[in-house]
Amino acid sequence: MGFLTRCKRLFSFAFLLQNRNTLFSFFMKSFLILFEKQHPFSVFKDYFEDLLKSPVYFFVTLINFFGNLAMFIPIGFFSALLFRNATLKRSAIIGFGMSTFIEFAQYFIMRNTAVDDIILNTLGAAIGYMLFAVCNYLRRKRYGEKI
């Protein structure tokens, strides 16, 4: 290990020791932010209140609400195509897992996290599976059971 590497490590360690209180408070604040809006359906209540405020809030709220749904419709549709024995439960679990991962990652980049986003994204994946089921039914009706 070279002299510069040792100096860098020593400086980094000294910096961490000096700022340990700042780092601790940063992580504690981050932890509290993660659980700030974690009451299920609290964002839905905010959506409803925003719908009544003004046309601008109404438009933004609708985009946010339907955007969370529409973003995961392809996840449900293509996860049903991926598995031979596709079920609504399997597509919903895949959507739930991906949405939870996204919300967890958003926490570490200091973005807003909400349980309601997970609910909406999982619902979007379920809608995607239902869309797959309708398309599969129409395909089988037109071309027969085996294609």
Side-chain angles (χ1 to χ4, degrees):
M1 185 176 349
F3 177 73
L4 288 177
T5 305
R6 278 189 256 153
C7 288
K8 286 179 187 177
R9 286 187 180 179
L10 181 63
F11 178 73
S12 299
F13 183 69
F15 179 77
L16 286 175
L17 284 178
Q18 181 182 7
N19 295 315
R20 68 182 180 275
N21 292 335
T22 306
L23 290 172
F24 178 74
S25 66
F26 170 76
F27 286 119
M28 286 306 294
K29 286 178 185 176
S30 301
F31 184 75
L32 293 174
I33 288 170
L34 175 65
F35 293 105
E36 181 180 1
K37 285 219 173 201
Q38 299 309 318
H39 305 290
F41 308 110
S42 65
V43 174
F44 291 135
K45 184 182 71 131
D46 294 343
Y47 282 162
F48 185 71
E49 290 173 359
D50 288 345
L51 287 174
L52 301 176
K53 282 184 184 175
S54 73
V56 174
Y57 285 118
F58 179 79
F59 185 68
V60 170
T61 300
L62 286 181
I63 287 176
N64 191 18
F65 184 81
F66 289 112
N68 276 327
L69 284 174
M71 183 172 58
F72 270 71
I73 289 175
I75 302 297
F77 188 88
F78 290 118
S79 66
L81 283 175
L82 184 64
F83 298 107
R84 183 175 295 276
N85 298 327
T87 62
L88 177 65
K89 183 179 177 181
R90 182 176 283 174
S91 291
I93 288 172
I94 290 170
F96 174 79
M98 290 183 72
S99 178
T100 303
F101 176 75
I102 289 170
E103 291 298 318
F104 188 70
Q106 282 181 349
Y107 163 71
F108 287 108
I109 60 172
M110 296 303 175
R111 294 222 19 216
N112 188 16
T113 61
V115 173
D116 296 338
D117 288 344
I118 296 174
I119 294 169
L120 286 173
N121 293 341
T122 304
L123 186 62
I127 291 170
Y129 173 80
M130 289 184 247
L131 184 64
F132 164 79
V134 167
C135 291
N136 195 30
Y137 171 77
L138 293 175
R139 179 192 60 85
R140 288 178 183 213
K141 186 176 178 183
R142 181 169 181 170
Y143 297 111
E145 188 67 29
K146 299 284 182 182
I147 200 167

